[in-house]
Amino acid sequence: MFPEGSRHVLRFRQPSEGQTAVEDMVHGTVVFENSELDDLVILRSDGMPTYHFGVVVDDADMSITHVIRGDDHLNNTPRHINLFRALGLQPPRYAHIPMIAGPDGAKLSKRH
């Protein structure tokens, strides 16, 4: 996609005005100011898609209707919703649940 040897990335331009509302099944309506959303990289300089772009395309390809994930991903959700809309797709429903901590108080991981 990019000329060989270039160091360019592809960014998704977020709306700069208005708000993006997330209708969360746990938290209710959570509103984000679009002016606070960054224009995220969706394609790295090596041509590989980033997590944000990959997860949206994968969810759309798999016809995912509901996404249940930790609260730490709530701030990603308006970005994902805007990507879905830009692709002309209906975003799934979202539910963000409290993080589960291990005995040491850190986020529960496979290492626990």
Side-chain angles (χ1 to χ4, degrees):
M1 172 168 214
F2 300 117
E4 191 170 329
S6 71
R7 302 295 302 166
H8 297 89
V9 299
L10 183 63
R11 290 183 176 272
F12 173 70
R13 183 178 298 193
Q14 295 285 342
S16 58
E17 297 178 359
Q19 301 171 323
T20 299
V22 175
E23 298 300 331
D24 190 87
M25 297 171 67
V26 174
H27 296 280
T29 304
V30 182
V31 178
F32 294 85
E33 296 295 327
N34 289 334
S35 62
E36 296 181 11
L37 301 177
D38 57 330
D39 293 341
L40 49 105
V41 174
I42 59 172
L43 201 63
R44 295 182 184 99
S45 61
D46 64 2
M48 293 298 294
T50 62
Y51 165 79
H52 295 291
F53 189 55
V55 75
V56 167
V57 171
D58 192 50
D59 285 353
D61 183 55
M62 295 177 64
S63 301
I64 299 298
T65 60
H66 292 74
V67 173
I68 302 170
R69 58 190 181 186
D71 280 336
D72 59 328
H73 285 280
L74 183 58
N75 67 337
N76 294 330
T77 307
R79 295 166 176 87
H80 296 177
I81 288 173
N82 288 333
L83 278 167
F84 273 106
R85 289 177 178 157
L87 294 169
L89 302 169
Q90 180 68 35
R93 303 234 12 232
Y94 290 95
H96 293 86
I97 59 176
M99 297 300 300
I100 300 171
D104 59 355
K107 179 174 141 182
L108 188 66
S109 73
K110 62 185 177 185
R111 290 165 198 82
H112 285 100

